[in-house]
Amino acid sequence: MLETGINALAFTVGSFMVGITVLSAIRSFVLPRNESVLLNNWVFQGIRKIFELLASLGKTYEQRDKVMALYAPVGLVALPIAWLGVVSCGYMIIYWALGEGDLERCYRISNSSLLTLGSEEPSKYGMANVMSYSEATLGLLLLTLLISYLPTIYQAFSRREQTVARLELRAGPRASAVELLIWLHEAELLHHGPQWQNWEQWFIEIEETHTSLPILSFFRSPQPGRSWITAADLILDAASLMISTVDVPRDAHLVMCLKAGSVAINRVSRFFEMSAKTQASDAIGEYQPDINPHHSAFRDARQQLAKAGIPIQADEEAAWKKYQELRAHYSPAVLYLAKLTMAPEIKPI
């Protein structure tokens, strides 16, 4: 009686391990919602600690960036390996509960079924064979899920990086919001043009892709000096400076761009901060100073805009207060994500 109860408990535990792994895979790549998956978090956090240690050996940002560029791809490849490992252990316990022998033999049966090798078959018929075939099916399913979603991940990455690259071409690799607004003015796009609408759409895609596929946040730009975080901060800073300081008719797309960007950045930040419980390491994170500019920097920015021929608001104090209010909606989230992803140093206005 006791042996039957132990076998039933073992079968339940093994089934739970298999079920929770399959559910994790479905929630990761099939469910169109931004859910935090505990098993995935363990895998990514464990691998990140290794990469943090390796990156801490680098003396320059370029060296650390080169190491961390491998973090997301390695983590993504390790994810199905972890899934298969848990499924293998779960079925090993199930075979033991079904009386297939000691754990070593059950381990061989499990891996033979999972990898469709056929080198070790269950000795008992009925339920053991059903489990063997189901394990082979699940093994193929888990690998297929990741492979089928790789194009989706890299398409989202490519669309994100196109905007980052365009910003660099327009305003330079170390651009500021002032330089971006001056370029827009010189290109006669400051008062009209599709740029704010395009950037609004970019932020909407960032929110959707970087919460449903959170590993995307850690895929680094092809060039060490680029980052989607710094690009987002640049656009939001330019929008805030435009609304608070530039004396032109209000553009509805400009306002919506700022709103969409603030919402996207905060939701991505909250996903990691509250759901995934991920914390950045100050040891390897690029030092991020206080990115809130001082009043003197804001005054210099106004003078640069005026010198470029851009009309500015007469009331400097009111503009400064409005600029601070707008920045408060997104700057804490930007700073958190910059540390988390080890982005290049952010340049305020």
Side-chain angles (χ1 to χ4, degrees):
M1 188 72 177
L2 179 61
E3 183 178 354
T4 302
I6 293 175
N7 289 344
L9 177 61
F11 188 91
T12 302
V13 171
S15 299
F16 175 79
M17 292 174 64
V18 173
I20 201 68
T21 305
V22 174
L23 185 60
S24 296
I26 293 174
R27 291 169 63 196
S28 299
F29 294 121
V30 181
L31 183 66
R33 287 196 175 185
N34 53 338
E35 290 200 5
S36 176
V37 181
L38 186 60
L39 180 58
N40 297 358
N41 295 341
W42 288 344
V43 173
F44 290 135
Q45 289 177 9
I47 294 175
R48 182 180 175 89
K49 290 184 183 299
I50 298 175
F51 275 88
E52 283 181 351
L53 179 62
L54 295 175
S56 65
L57 302 176
K59 296 181 179 180
T60 65
Y61 175 79
E62 287 72 19
Q63 292 174 339
R64 295 192 292 274
D65 178 82
K66 187 175 182 180
V67 172
M68 294 304 294
L70 290 172
Y71 163 61
V74 169
L76 197 60
V77 171
L79 191 57
I81 297 176
W83 289 344
L84 294 177
V86 176
V87 168
S88 175
C89 292
Y91 272 101
M92 177 186 70
I93 297 174
I94 290 174
Y95 292 131
W96 180 85
L98 294 175
E100 285 295 334
D102 57 20
L103 289 177
E104 182 182 354
R105 169 169 161 73
C106 293
Y107 178 77
R108 293 199 305 268
I109 296 174
S110 177
N111 283 280
S112 175
S113 301
L114 183 65
L115 304 177
T116 63
L117 299 176
S119 58
E120 195 83 23
E121 298 289 340
S123 59
K124 300 183 181 298
Y125 298 104
M127 183 59 72
N129 279 331
V130 171
M131 291 295 104
S132 178
Y133 295 141
S134 68
E135 185 177 9
T137 302
L138 287 179
L140 294 174
L141 174 65
L142 293 176
L143 290 176
T144 302
L145 274 178
L146 177 65
I147 294 173
S148 62
Y149 269 84
L150 281 178
T152 301
I153 293 172
Y154 279 95
Q155 285 172 9
F157 171 78
S158 177
R159 289 195 302 270
R160 185 191 78 186
E161 292 303 312
Q162 286 176 9
T163 296
V164 176
R166 289 193 185 103
L167 277 172
E168 183 179 15
L169 287 173
R170 283 157 174 76
R174 304 294 292 175
S176 67
V178 173
E179 292 166 342
L180 180 57
L181 290 182
I182 292 175
W183 181 89
L184 290 173
H185 174 68
E186 292 174 349
E188 298 182 353
L189 296 173
L190 188 64
H191 309 299
H192 59 83
Q195 70 279 350
W196 298 112
Q197 189 173 3
N198 293 338
W199 289 334
E200 175 192 346
Q201 181 61 36
W202 183 70
F203 279 122
I204 291 173
E205 290 188 8
I206 289 288
E207 178 192 348
E208 191 275 328
T209 56
H210 287 55
T211 54
S212 59
L213 297 170
I215 191 63
L216 263 175
S217 298
F218 299 96
F219 273 86
R220 308 184 72 81
S221 297
Q223 301 299 324
R226 294 180 187 170
S227 169
W228 70 274
I229 297 295
T230 55
D233 183 70
L234 174 61
I235 295 172
L236 293 174
D237 254 8
S240 298
L241 198 59
M242 182 84 175
I243 293 173
S244 64
T245 305
V246 179
D247 188 13
V248 294
R250 184 67 56 86
D251 185 348
H253 292 302
L254 166 63
V255 176
M256 291 307 299
C257 175
L258 179 61
K259 183 177 181 180
S262 299
V263 169
I265 291 298
N266 277 281
R267 286 183 176 171
V268 174
S269 174
R270 285 198 298 269
F271 177 86
F272 290 107
E273 193 171 12
M274 290 187 274
S275 299
K277 305 297 183 184
T278 306
Q279 294 295 330
S281 172
D282 291 333
I284 67 102
E286 191 70 0
Y287 171 67
Q288 294 289 346
D290 183 8
I291 62 174
N292 290 313
H294 299 292
H295 197 167
S296 59
F298 179 76
R299 185 179 297 112
D300 292 341
R302 283 170 52 89
Q303 292 174 356
Q304 292 180 54
L305 293 176
K307 185 177 180 181
I310 299 175
I312 60 174
Q313 299 284 352
D315 192 339
E316 180 182 325
E317 290 299 326
W320 167 244
K321 183 178 180 181
K322 182 64 175 179
Y323 179 70
Q324 287 182 305
E325 291 176 355
L326 294 175
R327 276 192 58 82
H329 293 300
Y330 61 85
S331 60
V334 166
L335 181 59
Y336 175 80
L337 289 173
K339 288 184 177 181
L340 184 70
T341 62
M342 205 187 81
E345 182 179 332
I346 292 175
K347 180 182 179 181
I349 61 177

Short mmCIF file of all heavy atoms in Angstrom, two decimals, residues 166-167 169-172 175-199 234-243 246 248 251 254 257 305 308-311:
data_model
loop_
_atom_site.label_atom_id
_atom_site.label_comp_id
_atom_site.label_asym_id
_atom_site.label_seq_id
_atom_site.Cartn_x
_atom_site.Cartn_y
_atom_site.Cartn_z
N ARG A 166 18.42 55.29 -37.97
CA ARG A 166 18.00 56.54 -38.61
C ARG A 166 18.26 57.74 -37.71
O ARG A 166 18.65 58.82 -38.17
CB ARG A 166 16.51 56.48 -38.96
CG ARG A 166 16.18 55.54 -40.13
CD ARG A 166 14.77 55.76 -40.61
NE ARG A 166 14.39 54.80 -41.64
CZ ARG A 166 13.61 53.75 -41.43
NH1 ARG A 166 13.12 53.52 -40.21
NH2 ARG A 166 13.33 52.92 -42.41
N LEU A 167 18.04 57.57 -36.42
CA LEU A 167 18.31 58.66 -35.48
C LEU A 167 19.79 59.02 -35.49
O LEU A 167 20.16 60.20 -35.44
CB LEU A 167 17.88 58.25 -34.07
CG LEU A 167 16.41 58.44 -33.72
CD1 LEU A 167 16.11 57.82 -32.36
CD2 LEU A 167 16.02 59.90 -33.73
N LEU A 169 21.89 58.64 -37.96
CA LEU A 169 22.21 59.31 -39.22
C LEU A 169 21.77 60.77 -39.21
O LEU A 169 22.44 61.64 -39.76
CB LEU A 169 21.53 58.58 -40.38
CG LEU A 169 22.11 57.22 -40.78
CD1 LEU A 169 21.24 56.56 -41.83
CD2 LEU A 169 23.54 57.38 -41.30
N ARG A 170 20.66 61.05 -38.55
CA ARG A 170 20.11 62.39 -38.56
C ARG A 170 20.77 63.32 -37.54
O ARG A 170 20.91 64.51 -37.78
CB ARG A 170 18.60 62.34 -38.31
CG ARG A 170 17.81 61.90 -39.55
CD ARG A 170 16.46 61.33 -39.17
NE ARG A 170 15.67 61.05 -40.37
CZ ARG A 170 15.87 60.00 -41.17
NH1 ARG A 170 16.87 59.18 -40.92
NH2 ARG A 170 15.12 59.81 -42.23
N ALA A 171 21.12 62.78 -36.40
CA ALA A 171 21.59 63.65 -35.32
C ALA A 171 22.96 63.27 -34.78
O ALA A 171 23.42 63.88 -33.81
CB ALA A 171 20.58 63.66 -34.18
N GLY A 172 23.61 62.27 -35.36
CA GLY A 172 24.95 61.90 -34.91
C GLY A 172 24.92 60.81 -33.85
O GLY A 172 23.91 60.58 -33.20
N ALA A 175 24.05 62.08 -30.13
CA ALA A 175 23.12 63.18 -30.31
C ALA A 175 22.41 63.54 -29.01
O ALA A 175 22.28 62.72 -28.10
CB ALA A 175 22.08 62.81 -31.37
N SER A 176 21.97 64.79 -28.96
CA SER A 176 21.14 65.26 -27.86
C SER A 176 19.81 65.71 -28.44
O SER A 176 19.63 65.82 -29.66
CB SER A 176 21.82 66.42 -27.13
OG SER A 176 21.90 67.55 -27.98
N ALA A 177 18.85 65.97 -27.55
CA ALA A 177 17.54 66.43 -28.00
C ALA A 177 17.65 67.75 -28.75
O ALA A 177 16.93 68.00 -29.73
CB ALA A 177 16.61 66.57 -26.80
N VAL A 178 18.55 68.63 -28.31
CA VAL A 178 18.74 69.91 -28.98
C VAL A 178 19.22 69.70 -30.41
O VAL A 178 18.72 70.31 -31.36
CB VAL A 178 19.75 70.78 -28.20
CG1 VAL A 178 20.10 72.04 -28.99
CG2 VAL A 178 19.19 71.15 -26.84
N GLU A 179 20.20 68.82 -30.59
CA GLU A 179 20.74 68.55 -31.93
C GLU A 179 19.68 67.94 -32.84
O GLU A 179 19.63 68.24 -34.03
CB GLU A 179 21.95 67.63 -31.81
CG GLU A 179 23.14 68.29 -31.13
CD GLU A 179 24.20 67.29 -30.72
OE1 GLU A 179 23.87 66.10 -30.64
OE2 GLU A 179 25.34 67.70 -30.47
N LEU A 180 18.82 67.09 -32.27
CA LEU A 180 17.77 66.48 -33.07
C LEU A 180 16.75 67.53 -33.51
O LEU A 180 16.32 67.55 -34.68
CB LEU A 180 17.07 65.38 -32.27
CG LEU A 180 15.92 64.65 -32.99
CD1 LEU A 180 16.41 64.02 -34.29
CD2 LEU A 180 15.30 63.59 -32.08
N LEU A 181 16.37 68.43 -32.61
CA LEU A 181 15.41 69.48 -32.98
C LEU A 181 16.02 70.43 -34.00
O LEU A 181 15.32 70.90 -34.92
CB LEU A 181 14.98 70.24 -31.73
CG LEU A 181 14.09 69.49 -30.74
CD1 LEU A 181 13.70 70.38 -29.57
CD2 LEU A 181 12.84 68.94 -31.43
N ILE A 182 17.29 70.74 -33.88
CA ILE A 182 17.94 71.60 -34.86
C ILE A 182 17.96 70.93 -36.23
O ILE A 182 17.72 71.59 -37.26
CB ILE A 182 19.37 71.97 -34.39
CG1 ILE A 182 19.30 72.88 -33.16
CG2 ILE A 182 20.15 72.63 -35.51
CD1 ILE A 182 20.66 73.18 -32.55
N TRP A 183 18.23 69.63 -36.26
CA TRP A 183 18.21 68.93 -37.55
C TRP A 183 16.81 68.96 -38.16
O TRP A 183 16.65 69.19 -39.36
CB TRP A 183 18.67 67.48 -37.37
CG TRP A 183 18.68 66.73 -38.68
CD1 TRP A 183 19.70 66.64 -39.56
CD2 TRP A 183 17.58 66.00 -39.25
NE1 TRP A 183 19.33 65.89 -40.65
CE2 TRP A 183 18.03 65.49 -40.50
CE3 TRP A 183 16.28 65.74 -38.84
CZ2 TRP A 183 17.21 64.74 -41.33
CZ3 TRP A 183 15.45 64.98 -39.68
CH2 TRP A 183 15.92 64.49 -40.90
N LEU A 184 15.78 68.72 -37.32
CA LEU A 184 14.40 68.76 -37.82
C LEU A 184 14.07 70.15 -38.36
O LEU A 184 13.38 70.29 -39.39
CB LEU A 184 13.43 68.39 -36.71
CG LEU A 184 13.44 66.92 -36.25
CD1 LEU A 184 12.56 66.74 -35.02
CD2 LEU A 184 12.98 66.00 -37.37
N HIS A 185 14.57 71.19 -37.69
CA HIS A 185 14.33 72.56 -38.15
C HIS A 185 15.01 72.80 -39.49
O HIS A 185 14.40 73.39 -40.41
CB HIS A 185 14.83 73.54 -37.10
CG HIS A 185 14.77 74.98 -37.53
ND1 HIS A 185 13.58 75.64 -37.73
CD2 HIS A 185 15.77 75.88 -37.82
CE1 HIS A 185 13.83 76.88 -38.11
NE2 HIS A 185 15.15 77.05 -38.18
N GLU A 186 16.25 72.37 -39.63
CA GLU A 186 16.99 72.58 -40.87
C GLU A 186 16.38 71.78 -42.02
O GLU A 186 16.45 72.19 -43.18
CB GLU A 186 18.45 72.19 -40.67
CG GLU A 186 19.20 73.13 -39.73
CD GLU A 186 20.60 72.65 -39.43
OE1 GLU A 186 20.91 71.48 -39.79
OE2 GLU A 186 21.40 73.42 -38.85
N ALA A 187 15.78 70.64 -41.69
CA ALA A 187 15.14 69.82 -42.72
C ALA A 187 13.70 70.24 -42.97
O ALA A 187 13.00 69.58 -43.76
CB ALA A 187 15.18 68.35 -42.31
N GLU A 188 13.27 71.33 -42.31
CA GLU A 188 11.91 71.85 -42.44
C GLU A 188 10.87 70.81 -42.04
O GLU A 188 9.80 70.68 -42.65
CB GLU A 188 11.65 72.35 -43.86
CG GLU A 188 12.56 73.50 -44.28
CD GLU A 188 12.25 74.02 -45.67
OE1 GLU A 188 11.41 73.39 -46.36
OE2 GLU A 188 12.85 75.03 -46.07
N LEU A 189 11.19 70.05 -40.99
CA LEU A 189 10.27 69.03 -40.48
C LEU A 189 9.85 69.32 -39.04
O LEU A 189 9.17 68.50 -38.43
CB LEU A 189 10.95 67.66 -40.54
CG LEU A 189 11.28 67.11 -41.93
CD1 LEU A 189 12.10 65.83 -41.81
CD2 LEU A 189 10.01 66.85 -42.73
N LEU A 190 10.24 70.46 -38.53
CA LEU A 190 9.95 70.76 -37.14
C LEU A 190 8.46 71.02 -36.91
O LEU A 190 7.90 70.58 -35.91
CB LEU A 190 10.77 71.98 -36.68
CG LEU A 190 10.72 72.30 -35.18
CD1 LEU A 190 11.34 71.17 -34.37
CD2 LEU A 190 11.44 73.62 -34.90
N HIS A 191 7.82 71.70 -37.83
CA HIS A 191 6.42 72.08 -37.65
C HIS A 191 5.47 71.06 -38.27
O HIS A 191 4.28 71.04 -37.93
CB HIS A 191 6.15 73.46 -38.29
CG HIS A 191 7.13 74.51 -37.84
ND1 HIS A 191 7.25 74.89 -36.53
CD2 HIS A 191 8.04 75.24 -38.54
CE1 HIS A 191 8.19 75.82 -36.43
NE2 HIS A 191 8.69 76.04 -37.64
N HIS A 192 5.95 70.27 -39.18
CA HIS A 192 5.10 69.28 -39.83
C HIS A 192 5.97 68.13 -40.31
O HIS A 192 7.19 68.25 -40.39
CB HIS A 192 4.34 69.90 -41.02
CG HIS A 192 5.24 70.49 -42.06
ND1 HIS A 192 5.83 69.75 -43.05
CD2 HIS A 192 5.69 71.76 -42.24
CE1 HIS A 192 6.59 70.52 -43.82
NE2 HIS A 192 6.52 71.75 -43.34
N GLY A 193 5.35 67.03 -40.64
CA GLY A 193 6.11 65.86 -41.09
C GLY A 193 5.69 64.61 -40.36
O GLY A 193 5.06 64.69 -39.29
N PRO A 194 6.03 63.47 -40.91
CA PRO A 194 5.55 62.21 -40.34
C PRO A 194 6.41 61.66 -39.21
O PRO A 194 6.14 60.58 -38.69
CB PRO A 194 5.60 61.26 -41.55
CG PRO A 194 6.78 61.76 -42.34
CD PRO A 194 6.80 63.25 -42.16
N GLN A 195 7.50 62.38 -38.82
CA GLN A 195 8.46 61.78 -37.90
C GLN A 195 7.83 61.44 -36.54
O GLN A 195 8.09 60.37 -35.98
CB GLN A 195 9.69 62.67 -37.72
CG GLN A 195 9.47 63.97 -36.96
CD GLN A 195 8.86 65.05 -37.84
OE1 GLN A 195 8.78 64.87 -39.06
NE2 GLN A 195 8.44 66.13 -37.23
N TRP A 196 7.01 62.35 -35.99
CA TRP A 196 6.42 62.08 -34.68
C TRP A 196 5.44 60.92 -34.75
O TRP A 196 5.36 60.10 -33.83
CB TRP A 196 5.73 63.33 -34.14
CG TRP A 196 6.65 64.48 -33.94
CD1 TRP A 196 6.67 65.66 -34.64
CD2 TRP A 196 7.73 64.57 -32.99
NE1 TRP A 196 7.67 66.48 -34.20
CE2 TRP A 196 8.35 65.84 -33.17
CE3 TRP A 196 8.22 63.72 -32.01
CZ2 TRP A 196 9.43 66.26 -32.41
CZ3 TRP A 196 9.31 64.14 -31.25
CH2 TRP A 196 9.89 65.38 -31.44
N GLN A 197 4.70 60.82 -35.83
CA GLN A 197 3.77 59.70 -36.01
C GLN A 197 4.54 58.39 -36.15
O GLN A 197 4.14 57.36 -35.60
CB GLN A 197 2.90 59.94 -37.23
CG GLN A 197 1.75 58.95 -37.38
CD GLN A 197 0.82 59.32 -38.51
OE1 GLN A 197 1.04 60.29 -39.24
NE2 GLN A 197 -0.26 58.56 -38.66
N ASN A 198 5.66 58.42 -36.88
CA ASN A 198 6.48 57.22 -37.04
C ASN A 198 7.07 56.78 -35.70
O ASN A 198 7.12 55.59 -35.38
CB ASN A 198 7.59 57.46 -38.05
CG ASN A 198 7.06 57.68 -39.46
OD1 ASN A 198 5.96 57.25 -39.77
ND2 ASN A 198 7.85 58.34 -40.30
N TRP A 199 7.54 57.74 -34.91
CA TRP A 199 8.11 57.42 -33.62
C TRP A 199 7.04 56.93 -32.64
O TRP A 199 7.31 56.08 -31.79
CB TRP A 199 8.85 58.64 -33.06
CG TRP A 199 10.11 58.93 -33.81
CD1 TRP A 199 10.87 58.05 -34.52
CD2 TRP A 199 10.75 60.20 -33.94
NE1 TRP A 199 11.96 58.69 -35.08
CE2 TRP A 199 11.92 60.00 -34.74
CE3 TRP A 199 10.48 61.48 -33.47
CZ2 TRP A 199 12.79 61.04 -35.07
CZ3 TRP A 199 11.35 62.52 -33.79
CH2 TRP A 199 12.49 62.30 -34.59
N LEU A 234 16.22 59.91 -26.31
CA LEU A 234 16.46 61.04 -27.21
C LEU A 234 15.15 61.55 -27.80
O LEU A 234 14.89 62.76 -27.82
CB LEU A 234 17.42 60.61 -28.32
CG LEU A 234 17.68 61.62 -29.44
CD1 LEU A 234 18.31 62.88 -28.88
CD2 LEU A 234 18.57 60.99 -30.51
N ILE A 235 14.30 60.65 -28.26
CA ILE A 235 13.02 61.05 -28.85
C ILE A 235 12.12 61.71 -27.81
O ILE A 235 11.51 62.75 -28.06
CB ILE A 235 12.32 59.82 -29.48
CG1 ILE A 235 13.12 59.28 -30.65
CG2 ILE A 235 10.91 60.20 -29.94
CD1 ILE A 235 12.61 57.96 -31.20
N LEU A 236 12.04 61.10 -26.62
CA LEU A 236 11.18 61.64 -25.57
C LEU A 236 11.70 63.00 -25.08
O LEU A 236 10.90 63.90 -24.79
CB LEU A 236 11.10 60.65 -24.41
CG LEU A 236 10.37 59.35 -24.71
CD1 LEU A 236 10.48 58.38 -23.54
CD2 LEU A 236 8.91 59.62 -25.04
N ASP A 237 13.01 63.15 -24.99
CA ASP A 237 13.58 64.44 -24.59
C ASP A 237 13.28 65.52 -25.64
O ASP A 237 12.96 66.66 -25.29
CB ASP A 237 15.10 64.31 -24.41
CG ASP A 237 15.48 64.31 -22.94
OD1 ASP A 237 14.58 64.26 -22.09
OD2 ASP A 237 16.69 64.36 -22.65
N ALA A 238 13.41 65.15 -26.90
CA ALA A 238 13.12 66.10 -27.97
C ALA A 238 11.65 66.51 -27.93
O ALA A 238 11.31 67.70 -28.10
CB ALA A 238 13.47 65.50 -29.33
N ALA A 239 10.76 65.55 -27.70
CA ALA A 239 9.34 65.87 -27.62
C ALA A 239 9.04 66.76 -26.42
O ALA A 239 8.27 67.72 -26.52
CB ALA A 239 8.52 64.57 -27.53
N SER A 240 9.65 66.46 -25.27
CA SER A 240 9.44 67.28 -24.07
C SER A 240 9.96 68.69 -24.27
O SER A 240 9.31 69.67 -23.86
CB SER A 240 10.14 66.63 -22.87
OG SER A 240 9.60 65.35 -22.60
N LEU A 241 11.13 68.81 -24.89
CA LEU A 241 11.71 70.13 -25.14
C LEU A 241 10.86 70.90 -26.14
O LEU A 241 10.68 72.13 -26.02
CB LEU A 241 13.14 69.95 -25.65
CG LEU A 241 14.06 71.16 -25.58
CD1 LEU A 241 14.22 71.65 -24.14
CD2 LEU A 241 15.44 70.80 -26.16
N MET A 242 10.34 70.20 -27.11
CA MET A 242 9.50 70.84 -28.12
C MET A 242 8.22 71.40 -27.50
O MET A 242 7.83 72.55 -27.75
CB MET A 242 9.16 69.79 -29.19
CG MET A 242 8.34 70.31 -30.34
SD MET A 242 9.36 71.07 -31.61
CE MET A 242 8.11 71.40 -32.84
N ILE A 243 7.57 70.60 -26.67
CA ILE A 243 6.30 71.01 -26.07
C ILE A 243 6.51 72.15 -25.07
O ILE A 243 5.72 73.10 -25.01
CB ILE A 243 5.62 69.81 -25.38
CG1 ILE A 243 5.17 68.79 -26.44
CG2 ILE A 243 4.43 70.25 -24.54
CD1 ILE A 243 4.64 67.49 -25.85
N VAL A 246 9.60 75.23 -27.37
CA VAL A 246 9.49 75.76 -28.73
C VAL A 246 8.12 76.40 -28.93
O VAL A 246 7.09 75.80 -28.60
CB VAL A 246 9.74 74.65 -29.76
CG1 VAL A 246 9.60 75.20 -31.19
CG2 VAL A 246 11.13 74.05 -29.58
N VAL A 248 5.65 76.97 -31.20
CA VAL A 248 4.99 76.63 -32.46
C VAL A 248 3.63 76.03 -32.13
O VAL A 248 3.39 75.58 -31.00
CB VAL A 248 5.82 75.60 -33.28
CG1 VAL A 248 7.14 76.21 -33.73
CG2 VAL A 248 6.05 74.33 -32.47
N ASP A 251 1.36 70.10 -32.14
CA ASP A 251 1.14 69.00 -33.07
C ASP A 251 0.55 67.83 -32.30
O ASP A 251 1.15 67.34 -31.33
CB ASP A 251 2.47 68.61 -33.74
CG ASP A 251 2.29 67.54 -34.81
OD1 ASP A 251 1.21 66.94 -34.90
OD2 ASP A 251 3.25 67.30 -35.56
N LEU A 254 2.82 64.87 -32.08
CA LEU A 254 3.91 65.09 -31.13
C LEU A 254 3.47 64.71 -29.71
O LEU A 254 4.19 64.02 -28.99
CB LEU A 254 4.35 66.54 -31.18
CG LEU A 254 5.25 67.06 -30.05
CD1 LEU A 254 6.57 66.33 -30.03
CD2 LEU A 254 5.45 68.56 -30.18
N CYS A 257 3.06 60.99 -29.44
CA CYS A 257 4.37 60.32 -29.43
C CYS A 257 4.94 60.32 -28.02
O CYS A 257 5.43 59.29 -27.54
CB CYS A 257 5.31 61.01 -30.40
SG CYS A 257 7.01 60.36 -30.38
N LEU A 305 18.79 76.59 -29.34
CA LEU A 305 17.62 76.55 -30.23
C LEU A 305 17.35 77.93 -30.83
O LEU A 305 17.06 78.05 -32.03
CB LEU A 305 16.40 76.06 -29.44
CG LEU A 305 16.43 74.61 -28.96
CD1 LEU A 305 15.21 74.30 -28.11
CD2 LEU A 305 16.52 73.63 -30.13
N ALA A 308 19.74 78.79 -33.55
CA ALA A 308 19.47 78.06 -34.79
C ALA A 308 18.25 78.61 -35.52
O ALA A 308 17.91 78.12 -36.60
CB ALA A 308 19.27 76.58 -34.49
N GLY A 309 17.60 79.62 -34.94
CA GLY A 309 16.44 80.22 -35.60
C GLY A 309 15.12 79.60 -35.23
O GLY A 309 14.10 79.84 -35.89
N ILE A 310 15.09 78.80 -34.17
CA ILE A 310 13.85 78.16 -33.73
C ILE A 310 13.15 79.08 -32.72
O ILE A 310 13.78 79.52 -31.75
CB ILE A 310 14.15 76.80 -33.08
CG1 ILE A 310 14.82 75.87 -34.09
CG2 ILE A 310 12.88 76.16 -32.54
CD1 ILE A 310 15.26 74.53 -33.50
N PRO A 311 11.89 79.42 -32.94
CA PRO A 311 11.19 80.29 -31.99
C PRO A 311 10.98 79.59 -30.64
O PRO A 311 10.59 78.42 -30.61
CB PRO A 311 9.84 80.57 -32.68
CG PRO A 311 9.65 79.41 -33.60
CD PRO A 311 11.03 79.02 -34.06
#
